[in-house]
Amino acid sequence: MSRLKLMLAIVCLCVMPMTVWAEEEAAQKEAPEVQFPKERPMNGWVGGPYKVKAADVTGDEIIDLVLSHYPIDAVTVEKGDGKGQFTRLGLFQVPLDKRNLIEPIFNIDLGDIDGDGLLDLVIGIGGGAGVPQGWKALPAEVTKPYWPGRVVIARNTGNGKFQSMVEYPTESPAKGVALADLDGDGRLDLLYTARGAGYPPPA
C-alpha cells in the first residue's frame, strides 16, 4: 500500500508542471490581438477643463487663457479683453498617432521656442486610452501597446492657433512638461516626466 501511494505521488509531481505549462500556453493563444480603431472615435467623448495657463498668446499684451481638457486631447485658447472676460478664440486638437486613440492631456506649458515673439505650446499626453476591459487579466504583451505617451510641441501661428511641429514618444504616460533655459544659452530646453517605465498605472 505504501509503495502505491509513493508511485501516485511521483506521477502527480511529474504531471502537474506539464498541466500548468499547457494552460499558460492556451491562455496566450486565446489572448485577443491588439486592434486599434481605423478612424478617430468621435461619439461618447466628453471632456472638461483640467490644466490652465494664463499668458499673452495672441501678442496683444493682454492675458489670455490656454486650457487643456481631460480626458480628451483638446486645447482651447480663450482670448482676454483685459477686463476679466474671455472669449473662445481657437481649438487645437492633438494629431492622432498610429493607434488612432483619443489620449488624455495631463499637462501643458508655454514658451517662445522659435524666437518669433509668440508663445508656443508643449503638451504632455498620457497613454492608457482604449485599453480593453479586464486588462489586468490579459498578458502584458496585449496591454503594453496602449500605455506609451507622447510629448507634443506645437508652434503658435497667431490668432490663437497652434500647429503641431514635433513629438517625442515616452514609454509610459507623459505626466509633466516644462520649458526653461537650463544651460543659459538663451534657448528654451524641454523637461518632461513619464509615469513609470512602460507599466500601467496602479488601479
Side-chain angles (χ1 to χ4, degrees):
M1 184 67 68
S2 60
R3 290 182 180 178
L4 179 60
K5 289 181 180 179
L6 179 60
M7 291 177 62
L8 288 174
I10 293 175
V11 171
C12 289
L13 288 173
C14 294
V15 172
M16 284 178 63
M18 295 176 61
T19 304
V20 172
W21 177 83
E23 290 177 352
E24 291 178 350
E25 184 182 46
Q28 291 179 359
K29 289 182 178 180
E30 294 175 0
E33 295 182 359
V34 178
Q35 295 183 349
F36 296 116
K38 296 181 179 179
E39 298 180 356
R40 183 188 189 92
M42 298 299 294
N43 298 325
W45 288 85
V46 178
Y50 183 60
K51 295 291 183 179
V52 59
K53 290 289 182 178
D56 174 19
V57 295
T58 56
D60 61 359
E61 299 183 353
I62 297 177
I63 295 297
D64 310 300
L65 298 180
V66 179
L67 297 169
S68 68
H69 298 259
Y70 185 92
I72 58 177
D73 53 4
V75 175
T76 60
V77 175
E78 317 292 331
K79 182 176 174 57
D81 65 357
K83 299 178 182 179
Q85 301 295 318
F86 296 89
T87 304
R88 176 71 49 81
L89 181 62
L91 168 67
F92 174 73
Q93 205 142 27
V94 178
L96 297 181
D97 63 8
K98 62 183 180 181
R99 296 175 296 181
N100 278 336
L101 297 175
I102 293 180
E103 302 170 280
I105 294 176
F106 284 118
N107 232 317
I108 58 175
D109 200 12
L110 297 167
D112 184 6
I113 298 174
D114 52 8
D116 64 354
L118 295 175
L119 296 178
D120 306 302
L121 177 66
V122 59
I123 307 169
I125 302 174
V131 65
Q133 292 185 352
W135 59 268
K136 290 184 178 180
L138 297 176
E141 60 268 21
V142 174
T143 60
K144 185 177 179 180
Y146 291 91
W147 299 118
R150 293 180 286 158
V151 175
V152 174
I153 296 177
R155 180 175 179 267
N156 188 337
T157 59
N159 201 32
K161 294 180 172 58
F162 292 91
Q163 178 184 2
S164 180
M165 298 299 293
V166 65
E167 65 177 61
Y168 303 98
T170 59
E171 292 190 6
S172 55
K175 301 290 286 187
V177 291
L179 292 169
D181 182 7
L182 297 179
D183 50 9
D185 64 355
R187 295 181 295 180
L188 292 176
D189 304 300
L190 171 64
L191 298 85
Y192 68 90
T193 60
R195 181 177 186 172
Y199 298 99

